[in-house]
Amino acid sequence: MAIELSGKPVAEKLLEQTLKTVEDLKKTDCFPTLAIIRVGNEQSSISYENAAIKTMQRVGIAVESMVFDEAASLETVIQSIRDLNQNKNVHGILVMQPLPETFSRYKVARCVDPTKDIDGITPLNLGLIVAEATHTLVPSTPKAVMALLEYYDISLEGKEVCVIGSSSVVGKPLTLMLLNAEATVSNLHVKTKDIKLYTQKADIVISATGVVELLKAEDIKDDAVVIDVGFGYKDGKPVGDVRYKEVSDKASAVTPVPGGIGVITTAVLAFQVAQASWKQCSD
Ligand SMILES: NC(=O)C1=CN([C@@H]2O[C@H](COP(=O)(O)OP(=O)(O)OC[C@H]3O[C@@H](n4cnc5c(N)ncnc54)[C@H](OP(=O)(O)O)[C@@H]3O)[C@@H](O)[C@H]2O)C=CC1
Ligand SMILES: Nc1nc(=O)c2c([nH]1)NC[C@@H]1CN(c3ccc(C(=O)N[C@@H](CCC(=O)O)C(=O)O)cc3)C=[N+]21
């Protein structure tokens, strides 16, 4: 039976550090503020927004939410990002995914001021991962996965790791971070012919697709570590990409949903807003 890799202690550690930074910033009249832009009403984005607002409240970070109708134009959203870039009272900008299908993610990402890019979506901040720069702003979820692995002392050097999902906000940057940590990484996606061929050999399987209960016990080897990034809904309740019960009979360790990567992601987000505020307020 697998051990449960709870995200809570990992998040607590990050939030303690963040709270101290925010308190120090407030003493210098710097009031860290996060702006959230959401287009449409996708359920996992609303969950993230609500969870993020609660976490920010806990550490004293202010939040301004801007919600656009699904039919809003790309130009309107880009203009609001440009306004936030100029606004000295806003230190971090989070653009919720998914965006409407007609939007170019790249056109949106390149407009964000890299110093306010607390979700690491700009070409500059994504490129800095390839360059192996440290202390940069990176996508929160991949950083959350790396923080969980470090907290539970799960080494990566020389390990076979499978990442399912190749989005620019989770799968791709995570693959690069794992590679930087000297793992041998396979990145799988919709066009991968036989996912099992890779997952059944892997020491660590990380699933980030949003396909509810995609990963089964037969897909992994005995004693694998399984990280569930997915956040979907079944019968109105949050569930991940992993069939938790059957997979935990075979794996050595599994993250739960809820209570796993999600809680660390919001803590990383708060941490990065505090870091970005520190830089902007000391300039
Ligand atoms: N817990 C947390 O903190 C977070 C959770 N999430 C959740 O993680 C999931 C992924 O998010 P995100 O990356 O933004 O989503 P995207 O929809 O942008 O990307 C999904 C990725 O999964 C791949 N994929 C989809 N179906 C399959 C399949 N059947 N087999 C293999 N690969 C597949 C897609 O492949 P292709 O590229 O070929 O289409 C794509 O690369 C969502 O459920 C999201 O809500 C996201 C961020 C944080
Ligand atoms: N630009 C962008 N970056 C993201 O990282 C991003 C996004 N867009 N769009 C939506 C998805 C989804 N996502 C979640 C993060 C945390 C929880 C979370 O905190 N979940 C709690 C439970 C919350 C609940 O029960 O509603 C938990 O897992 O325990 C959920 C979902 C981030 N995403």
Short mmCIF file of all heavy atoms in Angstrom, two decimals, residues 4-12 141 144-145 147-148 152 226-231 238 244 254-268:
data_model
loop_
_atom_site.label_atom_id
_atom_site.label_comp_id
_atom_site.label_asym_id
_atom_site.label_seq_id
_atom_site.Cartn_x
_atom_site.Cartn_y
_atom_site.Cartn_z
N GLU A 4 0.73 8.17 1.25
CA GLU A 4 0.09 9.32 0.63
C GLU A 4 1.01 10.53 0.75
O GLU A 4 1.40 10.89 1.86
CB GLU A 4 -1.25 9.58 1.33
CG GLU A 4 -1.98 10.76 0.72
CD GLU A 4 -3.36 10.94 1.30
OE1 GLU A 4 -4.29 10.24 0.89
OE2 GLU A 4 -3.49 11.81 2.19
N LEU A 5 1.34 11.12 -0.39
CA LEU A 5 2.20 12.31 -0.38
C LEU A 5 1.31 13.54 -0.27
O LEU A 5 0.91 14.12 -1.28
CB LEU A 5 3.04 12.36 -1.66
CG LEU A 5 3.96 11.16 -1.96
CD1 LEU A 5 4.53 11.25 -3.37
CD2 LEU A 5 5.09 11.09 -0.93
N SER A 6 1.02 13.94 0.95
CA SER A 6 0.15 15.10 1.15
C SER A 6 0.88 16.39 0.75
O SER A 6 2.07 16.56 1.07
CB SER A 6 -0.26 15.17 2.63
OG SER A 6 -0.85 16.43 2.88
N GLY A 7 0.16 17.30 0.12
CA GLY A 7 0.76 18.58 -0.27
C GLY A 7 0.80 19.57 0.89
O GLY A 7 1.51 20.57 0.84
N LYS A 8 0.03 19.25 1.95
CA LYS A 8 -0.16 20.27 3.00
C LYS A 8 1.13 20.72 3.71
O LYS A 8 1.38 21.92 3.81
CB LYS A 8 -1.21 19.80 4.01
CG LYS A 8 -2.60 19.90 3.39
CD LYS A 8 -3.70 19.33 4.21
CE LYS A 8 -4.96 19.26 3.36
NZ LYS A 8 -5.86 18.19 3.72
N PRO A 9 1.99 19.77 4.17
CA PRO A 9 3.20 20.24 4.87
C PRO A 9 4.15 21.00 3.95
O PRO A 9 4.86 21.91 4.41
CB PRO A 9 3.85 18.95 5.38
CG PRO A 9 3.25 17.84 4.59
CD PRO A 9 1.88 18.30 4.19
N VAL A 10 4.14 20.65 2.67
CA VAL A 10 5.01 21.34 1.71
C VAL A 10 4.52 22.78 1.56
O VAL A 10 5.29 23.74 1.57
CB VAL A 10 4.98 20.63 0.32
CG1 VAL A 10 6.09 21.13 -0.57
CG2 VAL A 10 5.03 19.11 0.47
N ALA A 11 3.19 22.93 1.44
CA ALA A 11 2.58 24.26 1.29
C ALA A 11 2.81 25.10 2.55
O ALA A 11 3.16 26.28 2.46
CB ALA A 11 1.09 24.11 1.02
N GLU A 12 2.65 24.47 3.73
CA GLU A 12 2.81 25.21 5.00
C GLU A 12 4.19 25.86 5.09
O GLU A 12 4.33 27.01 5.50
CB GLU A 12 2.62 24.27 6.20
CG GLU A 12 1.17 23.97 6.52
CD GLU A 12 0.30 25.22 6.64
OE1 GLU A 12 0.72 26.17 7.33
OE2 GLU A 12 -0.78 25.25 6.02
N THR A 141 2.91 25.40 -11.07
CA THR A 141 2.63 23.96 -10.89
C THR A 141 3.88 23.09 -11.03
O THR A 141 4.14 22.25 -10.17
CB THR A 141 1.51 23.51 -11.84
OG1 THR A 141 0.44 24.45 -11.72
CG2 THR A 141 1.02 22.13 -11.51
N ALA A 144 5.73 23.46 -8.00
CA ALA A 144 5.07 22.74 -6.89
C ALA A 144 5.47 21.26 -6.91
O ALA A 144 5.74 20.66 -5.85
CB ALA A 144 3.55 22.89 -7.00
N VAL A 145 5.53 20.66 -8.09
CA VAL A 145 5.91 19.25 -8.20
C VAL A 145 7.35 19.07 -7.71
O VAL A 145 7.66 18.14 -6.94
CB VAL A 145 5.77 18.74 -9.67
CG1 VAL A 145 6.34 17.34 -9.82
CG2 VAL A 145 4.30 18.78 -10.11
N ALA A 147 8.96 20.95 -5.62
CA ALA A 147 8.99 21.19 -4.17
C ALA A 147 8.52 19.94 -3.41
O ALA A 147 9.09 19.57 -2.38
CB ALA A 147 8.12 22.39 -3.80
N LEU A 148 7.50 19.27 -3.94
CA LEU A 148 6.99 18.04 -3.29
C LEU A 148 8.05 16.93 -3.32
O LEU A 148 8.30 16.27 -2.31
CB LEU A 148 5.70 17.57 -3.99
CG LEU A 148 5.14 16.26 -3.44
CD1 LEU A 148 3.73 16.46 -2.89
CD2 LEU A 148 5.10 15.16 -4.48
N TYR A 152 9.79 15.31 0.13
CA TYR A 152 9.71 13.89 0.50
C TYR A 152 10.98 13.11 0.14
O TYR A 152 10.98 11.88 0.15
CB TYR A 152 8.48 13.24 -0.16
CG TYR A 152 7.19 13.69 0.52
CD1 TYR A 152 6.37 14.64 -0.07
CD2 TYR A 152 6.82 13.19 1.76
CE1 TYR A 152 5.20 15.08 0.55
CE2 TYR A 152 5.66 13.61 2.39
CZ TYR A 152 4.86 14.55 1.78
OH TYR A 152 3.70 14.98 2.41
N VAL A 226 3.84 8.06 -7.96
CA VAL A 226 2.85 8.63 -8.90
C VAL A 226 2.41 10.01 -8.41
O VAL A 226 1.95 10.17 -7.27
CB VAL A 226 1.63 7.68 -9.04
CG1 VAL A 226 0.59 8.29 -9.98
CG2 VAL A 226 2.07 6.32 -9.58
N ILE A 227 2.59 11.00 -9.27
CA ILE A 227 2.20 12.38 -8.93
C ILE A 227 1.03 12.77 -9.83
O ILE A 227 1.14 12.74 -11.06
CB ILE A 227 3.38 13.37 -9.21
CG1 ILE A 227 4.70 12.86 -8.65
CG2 ILE A 227 3.03 14.78 -8.71
CD1 ILE A 227 4.92 13.00 -7.20
N ASP A 228 -0.07 13.16 -9.19
CA ASP A 228 -1.29 13.50 -9.93
C ASP A 228 -1.48 15.02 -9.95
O ASP A 228 -1.85 15.62 -8.94
CB ASP A 228 -2.48 12.81 -9.22
CG ASP A 228 -3.74 12.85 -10.06
OD1 ASP A 228 -3.75 13.51 -11.11
OD2 ASP A 228 -4.73 12.19 -9.65
N VAL A 229 -1.24 15.60 -11.12
CA VAL A 229 -1.40 17.06 -11.24
C VAL A 229 -2.82 17.40 -11.70
O VAL A 229 -3.33 18.48 -11.45
CB VAL A 229 -0.36 17.64 -12.24
CG1 VAL A 229 -0.57 19.13 -12.44
CG2 VAL A 229 1.06 17.38 -11.75
N GLY A 230 -3.46 16.45 -12.36
CA GLY A 230 -4.78 16.71 -12.97
C GLY A 230 -5.80 17.22 -11.95
O GLY A 230 -5.76 16.86 -10.77
N PHE A 231 -6.67 18.09 -12.43
CA PHE A 231 -7.73 18.59 -11.55
C PHE A 231 -9.02 18.69 -12.36
O PHE A 231 -9.25 19.65 -13.08
CB PHE A 231 -7.35 19.95 -10.95
CG PHE A 231 -8.20 20.33 -9.78
CD1 PHE A 231 -7.93 19.85 -8.51
CD2 PHE A 231 -9.32 21.15 -9.96
CE1 PHE A 231 -8.74 20.18 -7.43
CE2 PHE A 231 -10.12 21.49 -8.89
CZ PHE A 231 -9.84 20.99 -7.62
N PRO A 238 -13.98 17.12 -6.87
CA PRO A 238 -12.68 17.19 -7.55
C PRO A 238 -11.98 15.83 -7.59
O PRO A 238 -11.93 15.13 -6.57
CB PRO A 238 -11.88 18.19 -6.71
CG PRO A 238 -12.63 18.39 -5.46
CD PRO A 238 -14.03 17.91 -5.64
N TYR A 244 -6.98 6.65 -7.99
CA TYR A 244 -6.20 6.67 -6.74
C TYR A 244 -6.19 5.31 -6.04
O TYR A 244 -5.14 4.82 -5.64
CB TYR A 244 -6.73 7.76 -5.80
CG TYR A 244 -5.87 7.91 -4.57
CD1 TYR A 244 -4.75 8.71 -4.59
CD2 TYR A 244 -6.17 7.20 -3.40
CE1 TYR A 244 -3.94 8.83 -3.48
CE2 TYR A 244 -5.35 7.31 -2.29
CZ TYR A 244 -4.25 8.13 -2.33
OH TYR A 244 -3.44 8.24 -1.24
N VAL A 254 1.81 8.01 -3.65
CA VAL A 254 0.89 8.69 -4.58
C VAL A 254 0.42 10.01 -3.95
O VAL A 254 0.19 10.08 -2.74
CB VAL A 254 -0.39 7.83 -4.85
CG1 VAL A 254 -1.21 8.43 -6.00
CG2 VAL A 254 -0.07 6.39 -5.16
N THR A 255 0.24 11.04 -4.79
CA THR A 255 -0.35 12.29 -4.28
C THR A 255 -1.87 12.22 -4.40
O THR A 255 -2.39 11.73 -5.39
CB THR A 255 0.14 13.52 -5.09
OG1 THR A 255 -0.25 13.37 -6.46
CG2 THR A 255 1.65 13.69 -5.02
N PRO A 256 -2.58 12.71 -3.39
CA PRO A 256 -4.05 12.70 -3.46
C PRO A 256 -4.60 13.91 -4.22
O PRO A 256 -3.89 14.89 -4.41
CB PRO A 256 -4.45 12.80 -1.98
CG PRO A 256 -3.35 13.61 -1.36
CD PRO A 256 -2.10 13.27 -2.11
N VAL A 257 -5.83 13.83 -4.65
CA VAL A 257 -6.58 15.00 -5.18
C VAL A 257 -7.96 14.94 -4.54
O VAL A 257 -8.66 13.93 -4.69
CB VAL A 257 -6.73 14.92 -6.72
CG1 VAL A 257 -7.60 16.09 -7.22
CG2 VAL A 257 -5.39 14.95 -7.42
N PRO A 258 -8.38 15.94 -3.78
CA PRO A 258 -7.63 17.16 -3.43
C PRO A 258 -6.56 16.89 -2.37
O PRO A 258 -6.40 15.76 -1.93
CB PRO A 258 -8.75 18.06 -2.89
CG PRO A 258 -9.78 17.14 -2.36
CD PRO A 258 -9.73 15.91 -3.22
N GLY A 259 -5.84 17.96 -2.01
CA GLY A 259 -4.85 17.84 -0.92
C GLY A 259 -3.44 17.49 -1.38
O GLY A 259 -2.57 17.23 -0.54
N GLY A 260 -3.22 17.49 -2.70
CA GLY A 260 -1.88 17.15 -3.20
C GLY A 260 -1.19 18.34 -3.83
O GLY A 260 -0.90 19.33 -3.15
N ILE A 261 -0.95 18.24 -5.15
CA ILE A 261 -0.21 19.29 -5.87
C ILE A 261 -0.95 20.63 -5.83
O ILE A 261 -0.33 21.70 -5.73
CB ILE A 261 0.07 18.85 -7.33
CG1 ILE A 261 1.03 17.65 -7.36
CG2 ILE A 261 0.63 20.00 -8.16
CD1 ILE A 261 2.40 17.91 -6.75
N GLY A 262 -2.29 20.61 -5.88
CA GLY A 262 -3.07 21.85 -5.92
C GLY A 262 -2.75 22.79 -4.77
O GLY A 262 -2.53 23.98 -4.98
N VAL A 263 -2.69 22.26 -3.56
CA VAL A 263 -2.43 23.15 -2.41
C VAL A 263 -1.02 23.74 -2.45
O VAL A 263 -0.79 24.86 -1.98
CB VAL A 263 -2.72 22.47 -1.03
CG1 VAL A 263 -4.18 22.20 -0.85
CG2 VAL A 263 -1.92 21.21 -0.83
N ILE A 264 -0.09 22.98 -3.04
CA ILE A 264 1.29 23.52 -3.15
C ILE A 264 1.33 24.59 -4.24
O ILE A 264 2.01 25.61 -4.10
CB ILE A 264 2.32 22.41 -3.46
CG1 ILE A 264 2.12 21.19 -2.57
CG2 ILE A 264 3.75 22.95 -3.30
CD1 ILE A 264 3.04 20.02 -2.90
N THR A 265 0.56 24.38 -5.32
CA THR A 265 0.55 25.35 -6.43
C THR A 265 0.15 26.74 -5.94
O THR A 265 0.80 27.74 -6.26
CB THR A 265 -0.41 24.88 -7.55
OG1 THR A 265 0.07 23.64 -8.06
CG2 THR A 265 -0.49 25.89 -8.68
N THR A 266 -0.89 26.82 -5.12
CA THR A 266 -1.33 28.15 -4.65
C THR A 266 -0.28 28.75 -3.69
O THR A 266 -0.07 29.96 -3.68
CB THR A 266 -2.72 28.11 -3.98
OG1 THR A 266 -2.70 27.15 -2.95
CG2 THR A 266 -3.81 27.78 -4.97
N ALA A 267 0.40 27.89 -2.93
CA ALA A 267 1.45 28.39 -2.03
C ALA A 267 2.64 28.92 -2.84
O ALA A 267 3.22 29.96 -2.50
CB ALA A 267 1.90 27.28 -1.07
N VAL A 268 3.00 28.21 -3.92
CA VAL A 268 4.09 28.68 -4.79
C VAL A 268 3.70 30.02 -5.41
O VAL A 268 4.52 30.94 -5.51
CB VAL A 268 4.42 27.64 -5.89
CG1 VAL A 268 5.34 28.23 -6.95
CG2 VAL A 268 5.03 26.38 -5.30
#
